[in-house]
DNA sequence: ATCGTAACCATTGGCGGATTGGTTCATACA
DNA sequence: TGTATGAACCAATCCGCCAATGGTTACGAT
């Protein structure tokens, strides 16, 4: 954790601009302010370092939290990034009990349903965001980025379905898939041809959602998940073909 | 918690029958041995009370645990009943974020799929168990029992689908439904006619599963969930009709 | 070889105090 | 009068320590 040394500190007027100034500094320095666990200094310490009132700091932190850049919990601290999913414990438990075939079976039923609902409920903003995410997948040149954007795209589709419980279900499946062995399988299955196929399939899904065609969206997502299973399951030592819906 | 007073204690021979005797006593007294939290006395204490070695007691407890009558956790204790679901925290979180329409929407998609898989994967033992559970629902004369057996039937169907991840998903939905406000809705919607309808619909689902007809099983379950939603959603102040699959 | 006993190990819980975010109150200043 | 600040208070979490509890091992007796 780096201590901020504000040379102009004494020159800061104690006025309503303190929150704005803190906000600017924090935006710039967030990545270096946090420790190994992503934790920012305690509010009282950070306010003293910035030479502003804790209240002003809190106003800045509230903005950053609303933007999803940090999360805060009473008694625990302030952290950069997204709040950890409550699904973590359950997903770990389930990861130990399930297998790749079962996971694909669930995805094959849940994700087309989510795409179907998204076709009726996604906003134009949602759809534009999906397209941007798929563009990022296309442009990515390392596996970490592909994983990140792929996951974000699937989550965006799930969010566009506008059903909190289904989104919770989707989060569980996502957490199970975050297991390192799972990730390794996906990476090994991903060559140039596969990548192009996935991006094209994402486009087909997004097009169907944009066209407000639930059946086409569900079918496109079903095709995508099936393709994934065909590519991944053999690497998991499994030759099962999943039953048609 | 009642302390066992074994008048015949001094007469107990120290032999391999100690586990068997402990097992018999525990089976008989499980319901009175536990405290308000379902907790049994610590192993060392319980062994002293029964006048047997802790090792003999542990052998008996292992049998009871394997039969699902108790659960044990190192550092925590020994408890009667089923181990609490890991899904608890997540379900509480989701319960605060979702609503009856969303819950039925998820059920309408997940439970027919589970019934479909159960039609292909349930054993005769599973099916017989389903029938027994439905008979218990029919015979029940209080709401607590109906709730208990209804939940057990739906879980048995989910288990018969033989997919741990889907079962985990089902557990989440179940936990959300355990919310007291939810339970209250169900109870108010349940009159004589509704009860008879539900039992008949359960029979139709089980018949289709027994007939190994996935499509019929899914359709019967879909009908059942729809009936439930028609009865319950109006009481939740909601007039929405759920979209067809 | 099996059982009982004791000792040891690993996990969890309880408790008190410290830490940290969340909120309220009083005061100062423009 | 309205706003910002500092201080105080409140509620949630963490940490360290010790005790409690299940899990395992070792040893001696039968």
């Amino acid at each position: 954790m780096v201590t901020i040394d504000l040379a102009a500190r004494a020159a800061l007027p104690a006025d309503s601009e303190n929150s704005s100034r803190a906000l600017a500094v924090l935006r710039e320095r967030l990545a270096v302010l946090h420790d190994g666990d992503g934790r920012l200094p305690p509010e009282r310490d950070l306010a003293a370092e910035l030479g502003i009132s804790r209240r002003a700091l809190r106003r800045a932190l509230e903005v950053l939290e609303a933007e999803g850049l940090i999360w805060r919990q009473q008694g625990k601290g302030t952290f950069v990034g997204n709040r950890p999913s409550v699904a973590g414990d359950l997903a770990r438990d389930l990861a130990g009990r399930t297998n790749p075939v079962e996971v694909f079976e669930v995805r094959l039923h849940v994700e087309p349903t989510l795409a179907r609902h998204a076709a009726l409920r996604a906003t134009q903003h949602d759809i534009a965001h999906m397209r941007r995410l798929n563009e990022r997948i296309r442009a990515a040149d390392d596996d970490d980025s592909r994983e990140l954007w792929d996951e974000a795209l699937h989550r965006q589709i799930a969010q566009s379905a506008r059903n909190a419980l289904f989104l919770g279900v989707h989060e569980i499946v996502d957490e199970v898939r975050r297991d390192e062995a799972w990730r390794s399988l996906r990476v090994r299955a991903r060559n140039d041809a596969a990548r192009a196929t996935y991006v094209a399939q994402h486009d087909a899904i997004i097009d169907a959602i944009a066209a407000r065609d639930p059946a086409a969206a569900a079918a496109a997502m079903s095709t995508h998940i099936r393709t994934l299973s065909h590519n991944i399951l053999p690497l998991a030592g499994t030759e099962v073909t999943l039953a048609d819906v």
Side-chain angles (χ1 to χ4, degrees), chain A residues 81-101:
Chain A
N82 293 312
R83 187 181 297 271
S85 171
V86 189
D89 289 342
L90 181 60
R92 271 187 294 279
D93 178 61
L94 286 176
R97 292 200 255 144
T98 192
N99 61 58
V101 174

Side-chain angles (χ1 to χ4, degrees), chain A residues 119 127 131 205-214:
Chain A
I127 292 160
R131 291 199 193 279
I205 295 162
I206 300 168
D207 287 344
I209 288 170
R212 309 300 180 174
D213 186 340

Side-chain angles (χ1 to χ4, degrees), chain A residues 9 42 64 102 111 113 130 179:
Chain A
R9 189 165 170 175
L64 294 178
E102 291 187 356
E111 293 201 45
T113 300
M130 291 176 207
D179 178 74

Side-chain angles (χ1 to χ4, degrees), chain A residues 130-131 133-135 137-139 150 153-154 157 191-209 216-217 219-221 223-225 227-228:
Chain A
M130 291 176 207
R131 291 199 193 279
L133 290 170
N134 201 34
E135 194 47 48
I137 295 166
R138 190 193 318 264
D150 184 73
L153 173 59
H154 284 263
I157 292 168
N191 55 42
D192 283 354
R195 285 204 299 272
T197 298
Y198 299 159
V199 170
Q201 287 174 339
H202 287 155
D203 273 328
I205 295 162
I206 300 168
D207 287 344
I209 288 170
M221 181 61 89
T223 298
H224 177 51
I225 305 296
T227 304
L228 285 169

Side-chain angles (χ1 to χ4, degrees), chain A residues 181-196:
Chain A
W182 255 104
R183 184 183 173 283
S184 166
L185 272 184
R186 288 197 298 274
V187 169
R188 281 159 53 204
R190 197 183 280 133
N191 55 42
D192 283 354
R195 285 204 299 272

Side-chain angles (χ1 to χ4, degrees), chain A residues 2 4 10 36 43-44 54 69 75 89-90 114 117 136 150 153 161 171 176 195 198 207 214-215 223 229 231 235:
Chain A
V2 179
I4 303 186
E43 288 180 0
R44 292 171 177 97
R54 187 176 153 211
L69 295 180
D89 289 342
L90 181 60
L114 290 171
H117 288 297
R136 287 188 140 132
D150 184 73
L153 173 59
E171 272 170 23
V176 170
R195 285 204 299 272
Y198 299 159
D207 287 344
T223 298
S229 72
N231 290 343
L235 293 183

